[in-house]
Amino acid sequence: MSGLIGKKIGMTSIFDENGKNIPCTVIQAGPCVVTQVRTKEVDGYEALQLGFDDKKTVGKAAEGHAKKAGTVAKRKVVEFQGYNEDYKLGDSVTVEHFKEGEFVDIAGTSKGKGFQGVVKRHGFGGVGQATHGQHNRLRAPGSIGAASYPARVFKGMKMAGRMGGERVKVENLRVLKVVADKNLLVVKGCVPGSKNSYVIISK
């Protein structure tokens, strides 16, 4: 799937032509530089490697890789496939790759929530659903196993633990606006990740 690398700016809302208030996310999408062109003859598949957001401290390997494309090293580098246009090394892919009204998939890293209990992490209701005289067991997980057989806790048991900070993809978000002069993409709904986090937009 072809696409772009972007940075989540934040959420807002806009009114459509019917006066309905629509929640939306503003993303700085590109411009992305083609840092490498994968070909079937050399790599066994066809793809474009795009780079986004200039890097300040750079190692020699990354610096040399970017110099071939006539650019500086990038903080985020992702491969995409399925472009109809014929891009070459060093070309720039802008937000105009997307059109208003079409649907895109956006992947990002969700906000980290830290170590959370079973009520927040898995939606448990508490022991006895917090009724009938519960004293100090309102958010407890309750029983986690059987008896002397099988004498173990089954793998995948829903328990407390680290929550968030995972790759999440949200599919079929409608593009509401494309602001080409500011490289902004406005999509309906919410997008995973915190403000200023990188997202991968594909269609």
Side-chain angles (χ1 to χ4, degrees), residues 31-99:
C32 297
V33 180
V34 179
T35 52
Q36 191 173 0
V37 179
R38 303 280 192 184
T39 60
K40 237 177 189 139
E41 297 78 41
V42 178
D43 305 291
Y45 66 100
E46 291 184 353
L48 289 182
Q49 186 190 83
L50 301 184
F52 175 69
D53 213 5
D54 294 349
K55 209 174 184 180
K56 288 179 182 174
T57 52
V58 187
K60 291 288 184 184
E63 186 182 6
H65 182 72
K67 196 179 279 185
K68 291 178 186 175
T71 183
V72 295
K74 304 295 181 182
R75 287 170 65 99
K76 185 74 173 174
V77 178
V78 180
E79 277 191 9
F80 293 93
Q81 295 180 327
Y83 286 96
N84 296 325
E85 302 85 351
D86 188 25
Y87 290 109
K88 293 181 173 57
L89 196 65
D91 286 354
S92 186
V93 186
T94 65
V95 72
E96 291 172 305
H97 180 67
F98 301 105
K99 302 285 184 287

Side-chain angles (χ1 to χ4, degrees), residues 168-182:
V168 179
K169 179 185 266 192
V170 181
E171 298 181 332
N172 296 324
L173 295 177
R174 186 156 57 91
V175 176
L176 299 177
K177 273 187 182 179
V178 177
V179 188
D181 55 332
K182 294 184 179 177

Side-chain angles (χ1 to χ4, degrees), residues 144-154:
I144 61 164
S148 55
Y149 179 83
R152 64 190 176 92
V153 177
F154 291 114

Side-chain angles (χ1 to χ4, degrees), residues 104-126:
V104 295
D105 299 343
I106 299 182
T109 304
S110 63
K111 288 181 180 179
K113 305 289 183 183
F115 194 101
Q116 296 298 329
V118 290
V119 173
K120 185 180 175 104
R121 195 177 187 216
H122 298 296
F124 283 20

Side-chain angles (χ1 to χ4, degrees), residues 129-143:
Q129 301 296 316
T131 57
H132 297 295
Q134 294 298 330
H135 165 53
N136 59 352
R137 311 269 298 147
L138 298 182
R139 301 177 72 88
S143 173

